[in-house]
Amino acid sequence: MTWQPHITVATLVEDQGRFLFVEEFKAGQHVFNQPAGHLEPNETLAQAALRETLEETAWEVELTGLVGIYLYTAPSNGVTYQRICFAARPVRHRPELSLDSDIVRALWMTREQLLADPTRWRSELVPRCLDDYLAGPLHSLALLRD
């Protein structure tokens, strides 16, 4: 058996102290996550972040920096994920677009609203990325080498 980490991206979108989250239905439960997903073939990390955000929230965003790179092993299945978390600002909402099938809805929440119910986090990376973003520093997109 070959061990292989899964490369994922997440986008932390802020607008006036509120953050864009998705509510997903996973393992029989409604959970909150940043817009996030897997890197696809022939796609840059930035392209993946923009695509996933649009597909899951119907928001076009502009990437403004890198929050961090995270390594996470899911206790539920033992799969290891490498998450590259981007910061972004909202540009345009496209309500005519359909959201990905596993997304219940996109919603704007404050940090306090997210922290109010830890049982609804997709993983502990959700609040960790948010807190890392708020604590700073934000890293330059120039760190990426495609």
Side-chain angles (χ1 to χ4, degrees), residues 18-44:
R18 296 178 313 140
F19 300 90
L20 184 59
F21 289 97
V22 296
E23 182 177 350
E24 306 172 286
F25 191 69
K26 295 290 181 188
Q29 182 180 2
H30 288 263
V31 294
F32 298 123
N33 197 5
Q34 283 92 13
H38 292 266
L39 180 68
E40 292 185 356
N42 304 312
E43 180 175 60
T44 69

Side-chain angles (χ1 to χ4, degrees), residues 5-130:
H6 295 247
I7 307 300
T8 62
V9 295
T11 309
L12 210 152
V13 184
E14 181 182 15
D15 185 38
Q16 300 178 3
R18 296 178 313 140
F19 300 90
L20 184 59
F21 289 97
V22 296
E23 182 177 350
E24 306 172 286
F25 191 69
K26 295 290 181 188
Q29 182 180 2
H30 288 263
V31 294
F32 298 123
N33 197 5
Q34 283 92 13
H38 292 266
L39 180 68
E40 292 185 356
N42 304 312
E43 180 175 60
T44 69
L45 293 167
Q47 289 168 340
L50 294 171
R51 176 187 52 76
E52 287 288 353
T53 303
L54 184 62
E55 290 176 354
E56 293 191 352
T57 70
W59 274 93
E60 293 178 6
V61 299
E62 176 187 355
L63 301 178
T64 58
L66 288 167
V67 176
I69 300 170
Y70 303 83
L71 198 59
Y72 174 75
T73 301
S76 61
N77 60 13
V79 173
T80 300
Y81 299 90
Q82 182 182 41
R83 175 189 257 209
I84 295 85
C85 185
F86 291 86
R89 66 173 193 82
V91 173
R92 183 169 75 135
H93 188 224
R94 305 274 310 277
E96 74 278 8
L97 297 177
S98 297
L99 303 182
D100 276 356
S101 60
D102 58 341
I103 303 298
V104 175
R105 64 182 171 142
L107 68 158
W108 292 92
M109 297 170 50
T110 64
R111 178 181 181 272
E112 291 72 26
Q113 289 170 318
L114 175 70
L115 295 182
D117 192 356
T119 64
R120 301 231 13 228
W121 302 341
R122 173 79 186 260
S123 77
E124 63 259 18
L125 286 180
V126 177
R128 184 173 176 201
C129 289
L130 178 57

